Amino acid sequence: MNPSAAAIRIQKEYLKKTRKSHALYKRSVSCFPGGISHNIRYFAPYPFYTKLAKGKHLRDVDGNVYTDYWMGHWALLIGHSHPIVTSAVRRQTSHGTLFGTVNKLSLDLAYAIKEGMPRAELIRYSSTGSEATMYAVRLARAKTGRRVVAKIVGGWHGYNTNLLQSVNYPFELDEGLGLIQDEEQFVESIPFNDLERSLKILDTIRDDLACIIVEPVLGGAGCITPESDYLHGLQEFAKRNDALFILDEIVTGFRLSFRGAADEYKLDPDLFTLGKIVGGGLPIGVLCGDKDIMSLCNPVGREKSEVACYIGGGTFSANPLTMTAGLATLKHVKQNKSAIYPKINKIGTRIRKGLKKAFSDGGVDVDVTGIGSLFMTHFLNKDIRKISSASDVGLSDRDLLRKYHFALIAKHNMFFLPEKMGAISSMHSLKDADHLIDATHQIVQSRLLSLSK
Ligand SMILES: Cc1ncc(COP(=O)(O)O)c(C=O)c1O
């Protein structure tokens, strides 16, 4: 079968098995712009609608069951609706869902975070990661009295306006309408894994540099690990020039290990952000860090003339349900960490190796990036032979990646949000790895992926 006939057949199979989702999507476009409420959740021809999620599985409204590798934007380290979490949340629901007052649960979660990450001397909760990174930037500006924020080309820190630059390939264009150019002059982008060029750029802005913010492993931009000394080089520059070094651990925190990426890479950030896993499946963002810096946002007991850096809002921040779910998750992870991390990392390693082999056996040129329980396939071409930065990802064959992920969904009931990295939870097993590798092998054999740009 030729590649385009194979693609048409897969599309037909998807249409046939997701009729109810199709009908819901048709209704959704009259409610939501594009039929969706989170931009990346759309994929062609329409996304399936999930009705139930348990363990490593998603069940859609048509009754199809998928093995999930998206795992709630990589947030669900211990799987969907883990009984430890759901029973704690159920109990808490009968005691109140939103107090709008201080509560002990927030303290318990803070101590659970500090146990894994002692650098979290003081903590502020928010309801999303986007808020946490927005707060981090504001605090850095407050601390340094400077304006410019350096971020990584392709780095994703959520939809806050401060950090909405160089997110989408080809990176040098505006990130859409509604952004003001005057604001953009205060953000500078530097290339991941190219320390020499990064330092050159940083040198030009060092007198006005408030902070460098970086994901230790580039997540949304392609699951790319740092080359040796890159992060240390940035940290050293920041510290030498009185700017803050901020680690965005919203994906890596409690995923790479119980102590996160700062520990893994022996870094000492001034501030760091958490989210995803620490909310236990409920909305959260967390800003953590050095107590002197964090104290700038302390609004209590100040003289009238003294102004704080205001970063503690949010009707739903520290709400008892999120605190409960996060606490139940971290307690479970702590108790089982010597089983969970080796297990998910072993599955990740098997998948990365197995996918590479399945593709290379079929003559398809890929790089499979990642670390621990995170992984992503990139289809190479004559220009891009290895993936080290977001630009390499942008220049790789995204069309083949979309086709591959869609074939996994439509033919093999394995869910990757098309074009996004995969994540393993403690609910996955080595058998899942083998099934994924086997499905990949079949897709390669079907010649669907023979068509290249
Ligand atoms: C590294 C990183 N920072 C920040 C965010 C934003 O978090 P949220 O989607 O909760 O606003 C994300 C979301 O994917 C992320 O991956």
Side-chain angles (χ1 to χ4, degrees):
M1 193 183 310
N2 71 44
S4 45
I8 290 167
R9 205 166 92 181
I10 287 170
Q11 176 122 338
K12 277 191 181 154
E13 281 180 46
Y14 183 73
L15 293 170
K16 199 166 153 203
K17 73 186 210 183
T18 57
R19 290 185 200 282
K20 288 186 182 163
S21 282
H22 196 181
L24 286 174
Y25 183 69
K26 284 185 193 153
R27 286 175 58 205
S28 291
V29 289
S30 60
C31 285
F32 313 118
I36 30 130
S37 289
H38 189 305
N39 293 349
I40 63 173
R41 291 195 193 143
Y42 173 83
F43 58 88
Y46 53 85
F48 64 79
Y49 281 65
T50 303
K51 190 169 179 184
L52 198 144
K54 185 110 190 93
K56 62 189 171 191
H57 290 126
L58 294 174
R59 182 194 295 258
D60 72 12
V61 288
D62 290 274
N64 302 296
V65 176
Y66 305 84
T67 304
D68 189 9
Y69 290 95
W70 172 230
M71 294 312 289
H73 297 234
W74 322 302
L76 300 163
L77 183 70
I78 60 170
H80 291 279
S81 18
H82 194 291
I84 294 260
V85 178
T86 51
S87 58
V89 167
R90 206 173 297 123
R91 262 195 317 276
Q92 182 55 45
T93 305
S94 61
H95 296 156
T97 58
L98 176 64
F99 296 149
T101 61
V102 292
N103 60 78
K104 178 173 175 291
L105 293 162
S106 63
L107 196 58
D108 295 342
L109 180 60
Y111 276 105
I113 291 172
K114 280 162 168 286
E115 224 175 303
M117 303 182 177
R119 283 180 191 82
E121 290 177 346
L122 289 176
I123 286 173
R124 264 276 189 269
Y125 293 116
S126 55
S127 299
T128 64
S130 303
E131 283 167 274
T133 56
M134 174 180 75
Y135 287 167
V137 167
R138 191 176 305 158
L139 201 51
R141 286 175 169 158
K143 170 71 184 164
T144 58
R146 297 171 177 177
R147 297 175 294 180
V148 180
V149 174
K151 74 175 283 287
I152 302 293
V153 173
W156 173 245
H157 306 285
Y159 257 132
N160 86 64
T161 306
N162 291 137
L163 292 163
L164 212 50
Q165 194 193 89
S166 71
V167 171
N168 291 297
Y169 183 80
F171 305 119
E172 62 266 10
L173 302 178
D174 288 348
E175 290 294 327
L177 305 176
L179 297 169
I180 298 168
Q181 265 179 358
D182 288 355
E183 267 173 338
E184 286 174 20
Q185 63 181 304
F186 300 120
V187 185
E188 194 61 64
S189 296
I190 54 177
F192 197 62
N193 279 338
D194 187 339
L195 187 58
E196 202 182 321
R197 265 179 61 213
S198 294
L199 293 183
K200 260 196 192 139
I201 295 168
L202 289 169
D203 219 29
T204 63
I205 49 170
R206 72 172 170 214
D207 293 339
D208 204 11
L209 181 66
C211 63
I212 302 172
I213 183 167
V214 56
E215 297 161 84
V217 174
L218 269 195
C223 198
I224 304 168
T225 50
E227 279 164 17
S228 91
D229 287 344
Y230 180 70
L231 297 174
H232 278 275
L234 297 186
Q235 175 176 285
E236 201 266 324
F237 183 93
K239 298 210 185 250
R240 186 160 33 90
N241 290 286
D242 300 318
L244 301 196
F245 181 63
I246 304 173
L247 215 49
D248 182 350
E249 290 233 42
I250 286 173
V251 172
T252 53
F254 293 96
R255 177 166 283 285
L256 296 196
S257 75
F258 195 69
R259 306 180 80 83
D263 185 68
E264 177 82 21
Y265 297 114
K266 305 283 170 277
L267 295 163
D268 184 21
D270 301 293
L271 297 174
F272 63 98
T273 49
L274 297 170
K276 302 202 191 266
I277 290 172
V278 289
L282 273 75
I284 198 166
V286 192
L287 174 61
C288 314
D290 174 273
K291 68 175 178 330
D292 291 336
I293 301 170
M294 291 292 293
S295 292
L296 285 174
C297 73
N298 172 7
V300 178
R302 284 181 179 269
E303 298 294 325
K304 273 221 171 81
S305 57
E306 250 189 321
V307 185
C309 170
Y310 291 112
I311 63 165
T315 300
F316 296 98
S317 62
N319 77 78
L321 282 191
T322 297
M323 300 294 105
T324 299
L327 186 59
T329 301
L330 291 197
K331 269 189 182 164
H332 177 79
V333 173
K334 187 187 152 203
Q335 272 162 14
N336 298 284
K337 64 179 191 296
S338 54
I340 289 177
Y341 292 106
K343 176 185 170 180
I344 60 175
N345 294 347
K346 190 168 173 189
I347 299 170
T349 303
R350 183 176 294 193
I351 287 178
R352 282 187 292 275
K353 275 194 189 151
L355 292 184
K356 245 186 191 153
K357 181 164 181 338
F359 282 113
S360 96
D361 286 353
V364 181
D365 217 0
V366 302
D367 194 355
V368 183
T369 56
I371 180 171
S373 55
L374 299 170
F375 62 98
M376 182 157 171
T377 303
H378 306 270
F379 291 86
L380 304 175
N381 50 40
K382 65 179 181 359
D383 302 320
I384 296 300
R385 306 302 309 148
K386 181 179 179 302
I387 301 291
S388 321
S389 69
S391 303
D392 297 338
V393 176
L395 288 165
S396 66
D397 196 331
R398 310 287 292 181
D399 188 42
L400 282 192
L401 180 58
R402 262 191 306 276
K403 282 187 177 150
Y404 167 54
H405 280 162
F406 186 66
L408 286 172
I409 298 169
K411 268 192 91 62
H412 299 277
N413 284 25
M414 295 176 188
F415 182 61
F416 286 78
L417 192 70
E419 297 187 68
K420 297 294 170 193
M421 69 179 174
I424 302 300
S425 77
S426 61
M427 291 290 128
H428 290 85
S429 67
L430 284 169
K431 269 202 181 133
D432 292 313
D434 293 340
H435 290 154
L436 174 60
I437 294 160
D438 188 48
T440 300
H441 194 74
Q442 288 180 45
I443 292 169
V444 172
Q445 296 306 314
S446 76
R447 298 197 58 243
L448 172 79
L449 306 175
S450 319
L451 190 68
S452 190
K453 269 198 256 194

Short mmCIF file of all heavy atoms in Angstrom, two decimals, residues 38 73-74 128-131 133 156-158 215 220 248 250-251 276 284, ligand 1:
data_model
loop_
_atom_site.label_atom_id
_atom_site.label_comp_id
_atom_site.label_asym_id
_atom_site.label_seq_id
_atom_site.Cartn_x
_atom_site.Cartn_y
_atom_site.Cartn_z
N HIS A 38 -8.22 24.25 25.36
CA HIS A 38 -6.76 24.32 25.51
C HIS A 38 -6.21 24.07 24.12
O HIS A 38 -6.47 23.03 23.52
CB HIS A 38 -6.28 23.24 26.50
CG HIS A 38 -4.83 23.38 26.86
ND1 HIS A 38 -3.82 23.41 25.93
CD2 HIS A 38 -4.22 23.50 28.07
CE1 HIS A 38 -2.65 23.55 26.56
NE2 HIS A 38 -2.87 23.61 27.84
N HIS A 73 -1.10 15.96 30.54
CA HIS A 73 0.01 16.94 30.36
C HIS A 73 1.23 16.54 31.20
O HIS A 73 1.89 17.40 31.77
CB HIS A 73 -0.43 18.36 30.73
CG HIS A 73 -1.55 18.91 29.87
ND1 HIS A 73 -1.48 20.11 29.21
CD2 HIS A 73 -2.79 18.43 29.58
CE1 HIS A 73 -2.59 20.35 28.56
NE2 HIS A 73 -3.41 19.34 28.76
N TRP A 74 1.47 15.24 31.35
CA TRP A 74 2.62 14.66 32.09
C TRP A 74 2.50 14.86 33.61
O TRP A 74 3.48 14.73 34.35
CB TRP A 74 3.97 15.25 31.61
CG TRP A 74 4.06 15.51 30.14
CD1 TRP A 74 3.89 14.57 29.15
CD2 TRP A 74 4.34 16.74 29.46
NE1 TRP A 74 4.04 15.14 27.92
CE2 TRP A 74 4.31 16.48 28.07
CE3 TRP A 74 4.61 18.03 29.88
CZ2 TRP A 74 4.55 17.46 27.11
CZ3 TRP A 74 4.84 19.01 28.90
CH2 TRP A 74 4.80 18.73 27.56
N THR A 128 -2.16 27.63 38.71
CA THR A 128 -1.57 27.11 37.47
C THR A 128 -0.06 27.35 37.48
O THR A 128 0.43 28.23 38.20
CB THR A 128 -2.13 27.84 36.21
OG1 THR A 128 -1.75 29.22 36.29
CG2 THR A 128 -3.63 27.74 36.09
N GLY A 129 0.61 26.60 36.64
CA GLY A 129 2.04 26.81 36.47
C GLY A 129 2.33 28.16 35.82
O GLY A 129 3.35 28.80 36.11
N SER A 130 1.43 28.60 34.94
CA SER A 130 1.63 29.89 34.26
C SER A 130 1.72 31.02 35.27
O SER A 130 2.52 31.94 35.12
CB SER A 130 0.47 30.18 33.30
OG SER A 130 0.32 29.15 32.37
N GLU A 131 0.87 30.94 36.30
CA GLU A 131 0.94 31.98 37.34
C GLU A 131 2.26 31.89 38.10
O GLU A 131 2.85 32.91 38.46
CB GLU A 131 -0.18 31.78 38.36
CG GLU A 131 -1.55 32.21 37.94
CD GLU A 131 -2.57 31.66 38.93
OE1 GLU A 131 -3.00 30.50 38.75
OE2 GLU A 131 -2.91 32.35 39.89
N THR A 133 5.20 30.90 37.15
CA THR A 133 6.34 31.47 36.41
C THR A 133 6.20 32.99 36.27
O THR A 133 7.19 33.72 36.30
CB THR A 133 6.51 30.81 35.03
OG1 THR A 133 5.29 30.94 34.30
CG2 THR A 133 6.90 29.35 35.16
N TRP A 156 9.04 26.75 27.30
CA TRP A 156 7.61 26.98 27.56
C TRP A 156 7.39 27.11 29.06
O TRP A 156 7.76 26.22 29.82
CB TRP A 156 6.80 25.81 27.00
CG TRP A 156 5.33 25.86 27.36
CD1 TRP A 156 4.64 24.98 28.15
CD2 TRP A 156 4.37 26.84 26.93
NE1 TRP A 156 3.33 25.35 28.24
CE2 TRP A 156 3.13 26.48 27.51
CE3 TRP A 156 4.44 27.99 26.13
CZ2 TRP A 156 1.96 27.23 27.31
CZ3 TRP A 156 3.28 28.73 25.92
CH2 TRP A 156 2.07 28.35 26.50
N HIS A 157 6.80 28.24 29.44
CA HIS A 157 6.55 28.46 30.86
C HIS A 157 5.09 28.83 31.09
O HIS A 157 4.75 29.47 32.08
CB HIS A 157 7.47 29.56 31.38
CG HIS A 157 8.92 29.30 31.11
ND1 HIS A 157 9.65 28.37 31.81
CD2 HIS A 157 9.76 29.80 30.16
CE1 HIS A 157 10.90 28.34 31.34
NE2 HIS A 157 10.98 29.18 30.33
N GLY A 158 4.22 28.45 30.12
CA GLY A 158 2.81 28.77 30.25
C GLY A 158 2.49 30.05 29.49
O GLY A 158 3.37 30.70 28.91
N GLU A 215 13.87 25.57 31.73
CA GLU A 215 13.43 24.22 32.08
C GLU A 215 14.69 23.35 32.03
O GLU A 215 15.38 23.33 31.01
CB GLU A 215 12.47 23.66 31.03
CG GLU A 215 11.18 24.40 30.86
CD GLU A 215 10.56 24.04 29.50
OE1 GLU A 215 9.87 23.01 29.41
OE2 GLU A 215 10.77 24.79 28.53
N GLY A 220 7.98 20.89 26.48
CA GLY A 220 7.09 21.16 25.35
C GLY A 220 7.86 21.32 24.05
O GLY A 220 7.35 21.03 22.96
N ASP A 248 12.58 26.13 36.08
CA ASP A 248 11.17 25.79 35.95
C ASP A 248 11.06 24.26 35.99
O ASP A 248 11.30 23.57 35.00
CB ASP A 248 10.61 26.36 34.63
CG ASP A 248 9.12 26.06 34.48
OD1 ASP A 248 8.58 25.26 35.28
OD2 ASP A 248 8.50 26.63 33.56
N ILE A 250 8.32 22.55 36.59
CA ILE A 250 6.90 22.20 36.56
C ILE A 250 6.69 20.80 35.96
O ILE A 250 5.79 20.08 36.36
CB ILE A 250 6.10 23.32 35.84
CG1 ILE A 250 6.01 24.50 36.81
CG2 ILE A 250 4.73 22.84 35.38
CD1 ILE A 250 5.41 25.76 36.26
N VAL A 251 7.56 20.41 35.03
CA VAL A 251 7.49 19.04 34.51
C VAL A 251 8.43 18.10 35.29
O VAL A 251 8.06 17.00 35.68
CB VAL A 251 7.86 18.99 33.01
CG1 VAL A 251 7.98 17.55 32.51
CG2 VAL A 251 6.80 19.74 32.19
N LYS A 276 1.88 20.64 38.11
CA LYS A 276 1.55 19.29 37.64
C LYS A 276 1.53 18.24 38.75
O LYS A 276 0.54 18.12 39.47
CB LYS A 276 2.52 18.88 36.53
CG LYS A 276 2.46 19.89 35.35
CD LYS A 276 2.93 19.35 34.07
CE LYS A 276 3.11 20.41 33.00
NZ LYS A 276 1.98 20.61 32.13
N ILE A 284 -2.69 23.34 40.01
CA ILE A 284 -1.71 23.92 40.94
C ILE A 284 -0.54 24.56 40.20
O ILE A 284 -0.22 24.20 39.06
CB ILE A 284 -1.16 22.83 41.91
CG1 ILE A 284 -0.51 23.50 43.13
CG2 ILE A 284 -0.17 21.90 41.21
CD1 ILE A 284 -0.25 22.58 44.29
C1 LIG B 1 7.77 23.76 32.01
C2 LIG B 1 6.38 24.31 32.14
N1 LIG B 1 6.21 25.48 32.77
C3 LIG B 1 4.99 26.02 32.93
C4 LIG B 1 3.87 25.40 32.42
C5 LIG B 1 2.52 26.03 32.58
O1 LIG B 1 1.76 25.33 33.52
P1 LIG B 1 0.17 25.42 33.45
O2 LIG B 1 -0.25 24.73 32.19
O3 LIG B 1 -0.28 24.70 34.69
O4 LIG B 1 -0.19 26.87 33.47
C6 LIG B 1 4.00 24.19 31.74
C7 LIG B 1 2.83 23.49 31.18
O5 LIG B 1 2.90 22.54 30.45
C8 LIG B 1 5.29 23.63 31.59
O6 LIG B 1 5.49 22.48 30.93
#
